[in-house]
Amino acid sequence: MELKPEKDQLITLAHYKMPFGKFKGRYLVQLPESYLLWFRQKGFPEGKLGFMMKQALEVKENGLEALLIKIRKDFPIDSP
């Protein structure tokens, strides 16, 4: 059973940063849970950012932040 799409998705989530606002430049996993819960209540942004924020909230609600931190360390992404 091949899990590559899920692996790639986790790596992307681990490296995804907030592109705007008070927490601009922070990894989504570093955002306060209360901030993500506020977005869930008010509505996540459209597109990839909203999807990633939903996933980050799911990770935080299940106490798996350390997993994404380890993934970010173990699977670095080249920066331009």
Side-chain angles (χ1 to χ4, degrees):
M1 180 173 178
E2 179 64 36
L3 297 176
K4 186 158 176 37
E6 290 82 3
K7 175 185 171 188
D8 291 345
Q9 196 171 34
L10 283 173
I11 292 170
T12 300
L13 177 59
H15 289 278
Y16 210 91
K17 292 184 179 182
M18 189 66 182
F20 64 84
K22 179 179 181 179
F23 298 108
K24 181 178 181 177
R26 278 200 194 178
Y27 293 107
L28 294 184
V29 72
Q30 293 176 326
L31 297 177
E33 189 171 342
S34 59
Y35 186 67
L36 292 169
L37 288 169
W38 180 85
F39 267 103
R40 180 167 66 189
Q41 181 182 26
K42 298 295 181 182
F44 286 106
E46 295 290 322
K48 186 174 182 175
L49 175 60
F51 176 77
M52 290 293 169
M53 290 175 76
K54 288 176 194 174
Q55 299 305 310
L57 179 56
E58 186 75 22
V59 165
K60 291 178 94 49
E61 288 180 327
N62 288 289
L64 298 173
E65 296 98 323
L67 174 66
L68 288 186
I69 293 167
K70 180 167 177 32
I71 288 171
R72 190 168 58 241
K73 179 183 171 196
D74 292 349
F75 297 92
I77 292 179
D78 296 331
S79 300

